[in-house]
Amino acid sequence: MLNTVRINFYAVLVIAMLGTLGYVFNQNKLELFFNVDFLFGGFFAVIAVKRYGVYGIFAAAIASFSTYFLWNHPYAIIIFTAEASVLAYFSNKSDDLVIIDILYWLTLGLLFVFFFYSGVMGLGIKNSAIVYLKQSINGIFNTLFAVTAGNLWNLISKEIGIKYAKVSLRSIIFSTILFLTAVPALFYIVSNVRHHSQSMSNDMQLELNSMTNAASLSTDNVLRSSMTSLNTLADNIQECLNESGVNSLGEERIITVLRSSEAFLGLGFIKTDKTSAPIYTYSDGELKRYYGKDYSDRNYYALADKSKDIIISEARKSNLLNLNNSILILVKAVKNADGKVLGYVQGGIQFQSVYNLLNTVSKDSGIFFTLADRQNRPLVTTNPQYQGQSIIPAKSTDGIIEDFGNGIMQWTVLPKTNKSVMTRWQKSYYIKSVPINSDPKLTLTAEMPLTSYVADIINMGLNALTVTYITIVLSVVLAWFVSRRTAFHLSRLSSRTAHIHENLQSESSDGWPNSVFSEITELSTNFRQMEQELTKYFKELNIQKNELEIILDSLPIIIFLKDTRNYITFANKTASNFVSIGRIDKKPVSDIFRHDHARFYADDKKVMETKKPVLKIVQTYPFESGTITVITDKIPLFGDDGNVKSILVISRDITEELKAQEDKQRTLEILYQQSKMAEMGAMIGAIAHQWKQPLNSIAILTQLIEADVEDDQLCTETLMKNTSIIMSNVNFMSQTVNDFIGFFKQGKTKELFKACETMTEIYNLLDRQFTKNNIEVVFHDHRHFDVFGIRNEFKQVCLNIMNNAKEALINSETENKRIDVYYEQDDLMNRIVIEDNAGGIPEDLLPNKLFEMYQSTKGEKGTGLGLYICRSIIEEHMGGRIIAENTLTGARFIIMLPSEEVAMS
């Protein structure tokens, strides 16, 4: 099954990019010879396959598609895509991608190449072998480069601190050795083949240049010699002219020139009426005379009339001789001193001597020569393809011409679909064309077939690729052996260290490998010493573990260890007394708490989700032996991945504590009531003081009203005024009673209220007593901050402290009796500070003894409950603190309460 990875838009984009890069790099090929090309796009295809597995095959298909345009057949696409598929299949199973690629080319790749190239395209065994060797070497090296690049990227990524994948040391050693041995060999052999190929090409081009220049020179010499002979004849024949043409002397001169020239096939005189007078031909040793032949259809006479030079005609067939090749006609006008045309000297040349020379060269060198005019009509050719043709076809119509820039071009057959491009080189040529100095222009073209050159290069390439292939195989064997032997002891070391935990229990220290590599031996020694130390520590840990179990079992608290699936995996002895669970048993919570396990697991889920402890959970455990109330802490224990692995549950039985607390609370309530009763007596006295003056005022005003009635002096205005005063005193007395009732009203609801307002209410209750005893109460900086608690309880605290201060001042000899009340505030705490100047508190009662039960500064007059209850209210009910301390002149009580934000959080 092919390995797969998660695919997303980004992965698709990268795969497409790697495929495109592969396509582009395949186009920029390195040609070894004759379309035997090294392609580099496979590098990107292997990277895609290595990174994305089966999806990387699409990148390989895109990259290999370029071979269709390079080689004109689809079979390489099949071969390279099959290679990528094999690599994709094994990429997640093995790090030895290079070996896998070699095995592919030794099996499927070999079959595919010979089937498609030899069987389907008919390339032949030798050429198919070259294709196989080249493609397999190319594929192996692309895989090697990709694997090496991947290893380097991961090593560099590790160093610079970015994401990387782990790599096998054996793979790095293998690829490094193969890279260092095979790559230089490949580079040397490829360079050597290309050098020899280029050297042979240069030699052939040099030979072609040399032969073409020699043939051109010979052709030019023949033409120039013929023109010289014709000029001489034209100069000497003027004195031999008569009305019928030339006389016998002139004909002798014509025959002499004709027989002495190897180029002229015919030579004679043409009268101004364009008839021969006469023309002689000389062929195969036979001399023939033609008189009166009409040449009036020839256009070169008109040109000769206007020129002093010889006019050369286009190539044309002879009308006198039956020749295979065309000839050239040389014409020069014979003129008198006045420039009047008297006739024409005319000769026809065939370049037979040139042909004989060129034919000899062709047989020796294999070069074909063709002399043609500018219309491509052949005059002389040694190429069997052109013999008998009137026009030489242009090479560009049936092949590809590449200009080397040195006057030599290379012609190759056009590629054919489903045919190997290698075959077209068998019919390729080097071509060189040189102009002959004549008018009209003649061109000598030399064509050198590359058949022998191609055969030599193919043999050399086959040998070179075979040597490269063998070098790669030997390098792979060497790299495999060295990497395996190097990593063998590391593998043994890895296997041995993987079983250290087993050996710690068995106390065995055998089996550590010794290697020829000192680093591995040193590492093995270090691990052996580490194992010995770990064995020692393991023993100590076992002792500590046993001691810890004893400690846990001796603790009077319930300890569970739970996994994330709501199973109890450990319970100490105290817990085991309640549930039937062994030391190594694993029991679901639902078996112990059948109806409550979901409630307990909800807290576990909160711990797992937040990864934070959940503390001080008050809950009940309904055990079979009875239900207990516990306070539980649940603490997460984490695994290596950072997730909660298990939960430590610590529960403390508080059933008895709750009962004791309930008893204490009932006792406190009784004490509160006792304290309130004591305060009630003081409050009744305060009310009596508060009512004394209003009652006196009411009594006096009533007597005044009665007197006015008896004297009949009561007026409405006086009555209304006195009645208003009486009602004001009545309202005051009513408010005093309401405050008294509100103070002793039972309220248990916590609420936010303003401390300064509560303190003012207490002051209003005691105001008359403060005035009577000359006590000044000063409130500093009324800050209206809120506190949270039961308002009446806080009133009781304030009343107790203010009463204590009042009584201390009454009993003191201080002249300026004074109570100061301060309000202070910050982000966390609110403070109410109450100070007096009554002389202070005995030092033996500070700082804490003063607040203990039944401790009093009033002697037998006090109950010793007031300040004890004050501390209970402030610290237990309101979450604050109360502190007593002495100043230079008296006592200071500081009530510290949480701010609104802290109290409500």
Side-chain angles (χ1 to χ4, degrees):
M1 179 178 178
L2 289 174
N3 65 307
T4 58
V5 296
R6 290 184 62 186
I7 197 74
N8 51 32
F9 176 76
Y10 172 78
V12 171
L13 189 64
V14 173
I15 290 171
M17 182 185 70
L18 290 172
T20 304
L21 285 172
Y23 185 95
V24 172
F25 272 74
N26 278 345
Q27 292 293 324
N28 294 278
K29 56 188 173 56
L30 173 65
E31 185 175 9
L32 188 61
F33 56 83
F34 307 137
N35 286 116
V36 178
D37 307 318
F38 278 99
L39 309 180
F40 306 105
F43 170 84
F44 299 97
V46 175
I47 288 178
V49 165
K50 188 173 175 61
R51 175 65 181 86
Y52 295 104
V54 62
Y55 299 106
I57 298 174
F58 292 100
I62 294 172
S64 61
F65 193 72
S66 61
T67 60
Y68 184 81
F69 302 101
L70 291 175
W71 301 331
N72 277 18
H73 61 78
Y75 307 120
I77 300 175
I78 299 173
I79 295 170
F80 294 152
T81 305
E83 178 188 16
S85 300
V86 171
L87 293 178
Y89 180 84
F90 289 100
S91 62
N92 201 36
K93 300 180 179 181
S94 173
D95 293 328
D96 299 322
L97 286 187
V98 177
I99 293 179
I100 292 169
D101 199 44
I102 291 174
L103 293 176
Y104 166 79
W105 286 108
L106 287 173
T107 54
L108 292 177
L110 179 67
L111 294 175
F112 283 151
V113 169
F114 278 92
F115 174 77
F116 288 122
Y117 282 82
S118 181
V120 176
M121 292 190 289
L123 186 59
I125 297 299
K126 180 182 288 188
N127 287 337
S128 298
I130 289 177
V131 172
Y132 166 73
L133 290 171
K134 192 284 301 179
Q135 289 189 1
S136 59
I137 293 170
N138 199 169
I140 292 168
F141 272 93
N142 279 333
T143 303
L144 174 62
F145 289 148
V147 170
T148 304
N151 290 338
L152 286 175
W153 172 256
N154 287 313
L155 293 175
I156 294 172
S157 299
K158 173 66 170 61
E159 292 299 320
I160 64 178
I162 62 177
K163 185 177 180 182
Y164 66 94
K166 292 182 180 180
V167 296
S168 166
L169 176 62
R170 180 173 53 80
S171 174
I172 291 178
I173 295 173
F174 175 83
S175 59
T176 301
I177 294 175
L178 185 58
F179 195 91
L180 294 177
T181 54
V183 171
L186 175 66
F187 179 79
Y188 172 76
I189 292 173
V190 169
S191 300
N192 195 44
V193 169
R194 286 173 60 86
H195 172 73
H196 282 288
S197 175
Q198 188 61 47
S199 178
M200 292 177 65
S201 175
N202 292 339
D203 290 344
M204 293 181 68
Q205 292 179 39
L206 184 63
E207 181 184 5
L208 180 61
N209 267 326
S210 176
M211 293 299 180
T212 304
N213 291 336
S216 172
L217 182 61
S218 298
T219 303
D220 190 62
N221 287 339
V222 169
L223 185 59
R224 290 181 181 276
S225 174
S226 300
M227 293 174 67
T228 300
S229 298
L230 192 66
N231 276 324
T232 302
L233 180 61
D235 293 339
N236 295 330
I237 206 169
Q238 187 173 351
E239 61 186 39
C240 302
L241 297 178
N242 53 33
E243 292 181 358
S244 59
V246 296
N247 56 23
S248 58
L249 178 60
E251 289 191 27
E252 288 180 3
R253 290 179 178 178
I254 291 173
I255 293 171
T256 300
V257 173
L258 179 61
R259 286 183 171 177
S260 63
S261 172
E262 295 182 357
F264 282 118
L265 293 175
L267 187 64
F269 181 76
I270 305 298
K271 294 192 298 184
T272 56
D273 60 359
K274 312 305 186 288
T275 58
S276 59
I279 283 182
Y280 285 92
T281 63
Y282 186 71
S283 178
D284 297 330
E286 181 180 358
L287 184 66
K288 292 184 178 180
R289 183 175 184 275
Y290 299 92
Y291 190 87
K293 278 285 187 179
D294 184 14
Y295 293 98
S296 59
D297 58 337
R298 311 295 172 87
N299 60 356
Y300 41 75
Y301 297 116
L303 298 174
D305 291 342
K306 301 175 183 179
S307 175
K308 295 181 179 180
D309 299 322
I310 296 175
I311 302 300
I312 303 176
S313 71
E314 303 288 349
R316 59 188 309 125
K317 288 292 185 179
S318 173
N319 64 340
L320 299 178
L321 298 174
N322 185 21
L323 301 175
N324 291 328
N325 295 327
S326 299
I327 62 172
L328 288 180
I329 305 298
L330 278 58
V331 178
K332 183 172 182 181
V334 180
K335 302 177 182 178
N336 60 17
D338 297 331
K340 181 180 179 181
V341 177
L342 304 176
Y344 308 92
V345 176
Q346 175 177 307
I349 59 175
Q350 191 187 19
F351 297 98
Q352 183 63 37
S353 60
V354 173
Y355 171 78
N356 294 336
L357 173 63
L358 297 180
N359 197 39
T360 301
V361 173
S362 293
K363 291 179 180 179
D364 294 338
S365 64
I367 300 173
F368 298 124
F369 295 94
T370 300
L371 180 64
D373 64 7
R374 59 187 174 189
Q375 303 297 328
N376 264 359
R377 288 186 287 260
L379 294 169
V380 173
T381 180
T382 63
N383 192 333
Q385 293 182 0
Y386 304 150
Q387 290 180 357
Q389 295 187 14
S390 59
I391 297 293
I392 299 174
K395 285 289 185 182
S396 59
T397 59
D398 57 351
I400 299 172
I401 295 179
E402 180 183 359
D403 192 344
F404 292 154
N406 58 354
I408 297 178
M409 295 178 292
Q410 178 179 276
W411 177 86
T412 51
V413 180
L414 286 171
K416 296 180 180 179
T417 303
N418 290 339
K419 290 292 184 180
S420 173
V421 290
M422 289 181 62
T423 57
R424 67 196 188 99
W425 292 96
Q426 301 291 343
K427 298 180 181 180
S428 58
Y429 292 89
Y430 283 157
I431 300 174
K432 182 177 178 65
S433 297
V434 295
I436 304 299
N437 292 325
S438 63
D439 189 14
K441 295 295 184 182
L442 301 180
T443 302
L444 180 65
T445 300
E447 297 173 316
M448 175 181 281
L450 301 183
T451 306
S452 59
Y453 169 62
V454 170
D456 291 341
I457 294 298
I458 285 178
N459 288 331
M460 181 180 64
L462 178 61
N463 294 333
L465 290 173
T466 303
V467 171
T468 304
Y469 195 83
I470 294 173
T471 302
I472 291 174
V473 172
L474 294 177
S475 298
V476 167
V477 172
L478 174 64
W480 183 86
F481 176 78
V482 174
S483 63
R484 289 281 176 175
R485 293 306 302 173
T486 303
F488 172 72
H489 292 105
L490 284 177
S491 299
R492 282 191 58 198
L493 186 61
S494 174
S495 176
R496 182 62 178 81
T497 54
H499 296 86
I500 282 183
H501 64 286
E502 299 173 0
N503 296 320
L504 290 178
Q505 298 178 356
S506 64
E507 301 184 12
S508 172
S509 59
D510 298 329
W512 291 102
N514 289 318
S515 172
V516 69
F517 300 105
S518 60
E519 291 83 357
I520 298 178
T521 301
E522 183 178 353
L523 185 61
S524 179
T525 302
N526 292 338
F527 272 115
R528 183 186 296 110
Q529 293 174 354
M530 183 187 72
E531 184 183 54
Q532 293 171 353
E533 291 295 319
L534 287 175
T535 303
K536 176 182 175 182
Y537 293 142
F538 185 74
K539 290 180 180 179
E540 295 176 359
L541 284 175
N542 274 333
I543 295 173
Q544 294 175 3
K545 174 176 174 289
N546 294 332
E547 292 175 349
L548 180 60
E549 289 178 354
I550 293 172
I551 293 172
L552 292 177
D553 288 341
S554 64
L555 291 176
I557 57 176
I558 298 171
I559 300 177
F560 289 126
L561 191 64
K562 298 175 65 178
D563 63 15
T564 56
R565 297 183 302 155
N566 209 21
Y567 277 73
I568 295 176
T569 59
F570 170 82
N572 71 339
K573 187 175 181 180
T574 303
S576 300
N577 291 334
F578 291 100
V579 295
S580 300
I581 182 170
R583 180 73 69 188
I584 59 173
D585 292 341
K586 189 174 182 180
K587 196 168 187 178
V589 175
S590 58
D591 289 355
I592 302 170
F593 305 109
R594 298 186 182 277
H595 304 293
D596 298 276
H597 62 91
R599 174 167 56 89
F600 297 147
Y601 193 49
D603 294 329
D604 296 347
K605 288 181 178 178
K606 184 177 180 181
V607 172
M608 289 185 284
E609 290 171 359
T610 62
K611 298 184 179 180
K612 293 181 180 179
V614 176
L615 305 176
K616 297 182 179 179
I617 309 169
V618 178
Q619 53 192 187
T620 57
Y621 283 164
F623 295 121
E624 293 180 358
S625 58
T627 300
I628 63 173
T629 303
V630 296
I631 183 168
T632 300
D633 294 336
K634 294 193 173 184
I635 303 168
L637 303 179
F638 299 97
D640 294 336
D641 58 357
N643 294 320
V644 176
K645 182 180 180 182
S646 54
I647 300 171
L648 179 63
V649 181
I650 303 175
S651 298
R652 184 168 59 88
D653 186 355
I654 60 172
T655 306
E656 296 301 324
E657 291 181 18
L658 288 177
K659 290 179 180 179
Q661 191 173 355
E662 290 173 1
D663 293 341
K664 179 181 177 183
Q665 185 64 30
R666 284 193 292 269
T667 302
L668 283 175
E669 289 178 359
I670 294 171
L671 292 175
Y672 288 162
Q673 285 303 113
Q674 290 178 357
S675 177
K676 279 196 174 185
M677 291 300 103
E679 298 295 340
M680 186 182 292
M683 289 294 292
I684 291 173
I687 291 172
H689 263 296
Q690 296 283 63
W691 279 14
K692 185 179 290 187
Q693 183 180 346
L695 286 173
N696 286 336
S697 296
I698 292 171
I700 292 169
L701 289 172
T702 303
Q703 291 174 0
L704 288 175
I705 292 171
E706 289 177 353
D708 287 342
V709 169
E710 290 176 357
D711 296 338
D712 198 21
Q713 293 180 353
L714 181 65
C715 65
T716 303
E717 182 180 352
T718 302
L719 178 62
M720 293 301 295
K721 179 180 178 181
N722 292 335
T723 303
S724 176
I725 295 171
I726 290 171
M727 290 307 298
S728 177
N729 283 293
V730 169
N731 288 335
F732 172 77
M733 294 166 65
S734 175
Q735 182 62 42
T736 303
V737 173
N738 288 337
D739 289 342
F740 177 78
I741 294 171
F743 178 75
F744 288 100
K745 187 177 181 181
Q746 296 293 328
K748 293 296 181 182
T749 303
K750 287 187 175 184
E751 60 182 331
L752 284 173
F753 58 90
K754 297 195 180 298
C756 62
E757 293 177 355
T758 303
M759 184 63 74
T760 301
E761 292 177 14
I762 298 302
Y763 170 75
N764 291 335
L765 287 173
L766 303 175
D767 179 31
R768 296 299 176 94
Q769 295 185 44
F770 289 140
T771 303
K772 174 185 175 184
N773 292 290
N774 295 317
I775 299 172
E776 182 185 7
V777 179
V778 180
F779 291 92
H780 299 269
D781 190 13
H782 275 59
R783 296 195 180 185
H784 297 275
F785 53 75
D786 290 329
V787 295
F788 185 70
I790 301 173
R791 181 191 292 267
N792 280 347
E793 288 186 351
F794 185 68
K795 282 182 181 181
Q796 186 173 353
V797 173
C798 295
L799 177 62
N800 192 295
I801 295 173
M802 293 293 281
N803 251 333
N804 288 347
K806 179 196 73 175
E807 293 176 6
L809 286 167
I810 291 172
N811 295 326
S812 72
E813 297 179 357
T814 304
E815 293 183 0
N816 299 318
K817 296 178 170 61
R818 180 185 176 101
I819 298 175
D820 292 278
V821 180
Y822 300 90
Y823 301 98
E824 299 174 356
Q825 181 183 19
D826 58 32
D827 292 338
L828 299 178
M829 299 296 290
N830 298 319
R831 285 175 288 276
I832 302 101
V833 182
I834 304 171
E835 295 182 3
D836 62 49
N837 58 351
I841 303 167
E843 292 293 336
D844 61 328
L845 297 180
L846 296 176
N848 296 316
K849 190 174 182 180
L850 179 67
F851 295 99
E852 292 179 0
M853 190 181 295
Y854 305 123
Q855 290 292 332
S856 176
T857 61
K858 302 174 185 177
E860 295 179 357
K861 295 180 180 180
T863 63
L865 297 175
L867 291 177
Y868 171 74
I869 291 173
C870 287
R871 170 173 274 186
S872 296
I873 291 171
I874 294 299
E875 294 187 355
E876 295 181 15
H877 294 185
M878 300 184 74
R881 288 186 63 197
I882 183 168
I883 300 172
E885 59 187 20
N886 284 330
T887 65
L888 295 176
T889 59
R892 177 189 292 138
F893 284 84
I894 304 172
I895 301 172
M896 294 182 290
L897 297 171
S899 66
E900 178 184 351
E901 291 77 7
V902 175
M904 300 302 291
S905 62

